[in-house]
Amino acid sequence: MSNTRELLRWATAALKETEIESPQLDAEVLLAHSRGLSRSELYTQPDGRPSVEAEEHFRSLVARRLQHEPVAYITAQKEFYGLELQVDGRVLIPRPETETLVEVALMIGRQREVAVLAEVGVGSGAVAIALAVNLPSIEIYAIDSSSDALAVAEENCRRHDVLDRVHLLLGDLLMPMPKPVGLIVANLPYVSQDELPNLAPDITDYEPLYALDGGPDGLDHIRRLLEQASSRLRPPGMICLEIGATQALAVNDLAREQFPAAIVGLVRDLAGLDRVAIIAT
Ligand SMILES: C[S@@+](CC[C@H](N)C(=O)[O-])C[C@H]1O[C@@H](n2cnc3c(N)ncnc32)[C@H](O)[C@@H]1O
């Protein structure tokens, strides 16, 4: 039997050897999870010895991480915008850069006193739930083409008590919307098919392809969303799109094709990369 310090040292070394990006953090999160403790609690009892069963459980979690399974899928949870979300292989793991999309949508929602908005590509529900929690009277049409993803989103909406205001709709982009709205928010798949094979195995071997694949140039979904938006956006409407770091010019052109008078703005994420296109029609 090993103590906490020894287990962490073993797991960190093994994960480092397999070139896992954040070996120590992952080891801590997995050990804390397997013992039902917080990470800080691990450090208050470094000489504590988990039971034989707990140690075996921890070693099995590390074995999964060594196969590149993401920590969020192993622990079945991910924090996003201060909210704890349940995640599994049916949904994309919410990314920190998507918090920029939430910030932008919150700002517009408050400034324009938006009463109803659409979020397209809802996945785990991360964006819709962050908006619903922070805009307490908003109604959201939250759309996804995957019933598997919607099942996860429903569970997360229930957990955060917003199921009465987040209307989960199955279908293609804006098609299921019952009426036009003044604000559309979307984080649709935008990885180009050329780039897909270059992504880390943590992504390609575990996350759903339907949440990543944006077609030949990565813009298939965004292009079609903008086409549909011309009849489903109540003027003067706004569209906020999460985009890839090199897609700003192309998205600007696509937006102008559908909305010739549009003003298109860009917001960078915390890494300084173009991340959100704001289209004011
Ligand atoms: C990049 S994930 C975003 C998930 C979540 N909003 C987030 O930011 O973490 C994209 C989501 O779009 C959905 N999607 C893909 N094609 C779609 C379509 N044609 N209509 C609606 N949703 C679609 C996928 O199922 C997936 O859940």
Side-chain angles (χ1 to χ4, degrees):
M1 254 170 51
S2 312
N3 66 26
T4 294
R5 198 196 320 262
E6 290 159 347
L7 285 173
L8 281 179
R9 200 178 304 134
W10 162 76
T12 303
L15 293 168
K16 204 169 180 175
E17 176 94 343
T18 314
E19 297 185 6
I20 298 289
E21 218 172 82
S22 46
Q24 184 169 346
L25 174 65
D26 290 6
E28 289 171 5
V29 172
L30 294 177
L31 185 56
H33 176 75
S34 69
R35 298 189 59 193
L37 300 173
S38 67
R39 271 173 63 215
S40 54
E41 282 170 325
L42 290 180
Y43 285 97
T44 57
Q45 27 188 298
D47 298 317
R49 287 179 194 276
S51 65
V52 175
E53 294 76 28
E55 180 172 333
E56 270 174 19
H57 180 49
F58 171 61
R59 288 182 187 274
S60 74
L61 301 188
V62 173
R64 287 168 63 182
R65 185 68 188 116
L66 289 171
Q67 298 297 314
H68 290 276
E69 184 172 350
V71 170
Y73 287 158
I74 298 174
T75 61
Q77 57 197 21
K78 179 73 184 173
E79 195 194 307
F80 178 81
Y81 213 74
L83 301 162
E84 203 60 56
L85 298 170
Q86 172 195 310
V87 293
D88 61 34
R90 293 173 290 177
V91 291
L92 188 94
I93 300 164
R95 305 294 203 263
E97 56 267 31
T98 301
E99 294 183 344
T100 305
L101 179 69
V102 171
E103 292 284 357
V104 168
L106 282 177
M107 188 189 67
I108 295 170
R110 288 184 182 124
Q111 269 175 5
R112 298 194 152 211
E113 298 179 2
V114 172
V116 189
L117 63 82
E119 197 244 326
V120 191
V122 70
S124 63
V127 173
I129 295 169
L131 296 177
V133 166
N134 289 284
L135 298 171
S137 55
I138 197 99
E139 297 237 355
I140 301 180
Y141 299 131
I143 302 159
D144 207 290
S145 54
S146 158
S147 52
D148 277 348
L150 287 179
V152 178
E154 183 174 349
E155 193 46 51
N156 282 320
C157 285
R158 188 171 296 116
R159 182 190 275 215
H160 290 286
D161 203 20
V162 293
L163 206 44
D164 56 335
R165 290 184 293 121
V166 178
H167 309 296
L168 297 166
L169 303 171
L170 178 66
D172 180 43
L173 303 175
L174 299 169
M175 298 303 274
M177 263 172 44
K179 61 176 186 195
V181 293
L183 174 60
I184 295 170
V185 180
N187 176 18
L188 286 161
Y190 56 71
V191 182
S192 71
Q193 280 166 355
D194 284 354
E195 284 175 296
L196 279 172
N198 303 330
L199 298 178
D202 304 37
I203 301 173
T204 48
D205 291 354
Y206 291 94
E207 296 199 85
L209 188 62
Y210 55 76
L212 297 164
D213 185 353
D217 63 355
L219 294 168
D220 272 10
H221 300 286
I222 289 177
R223 186 179 289 110
R224 286 199 310 112
L225 178 89
L226 290 168
E227 282 165 17
Q228 292 184 8
S230 51
S231 61
R232 289 176 175 81
L233 190 64
R234 208 186 44 237
M238 308 269 288
I239 306 172
C240 302
L241 300 174
E242 179 165 324
I243 60 169
T246 59
Q247 293 174 336
L249 274 179
V251 170
N252 180 64
D253 291 348
L254 290 174
R256 295 291 185 89
E257 270 173 37
Q258 296 303 324
F259 303 98
I263 297 171
V264 183
L266 279 176
V267 179
R268 295 198 169 131
D269 62 20
L270 292 177
L273 302 172
D274 288 342
R275 188 57 64 198
V276 177
I278 307 175
I279 301 159
T281 64

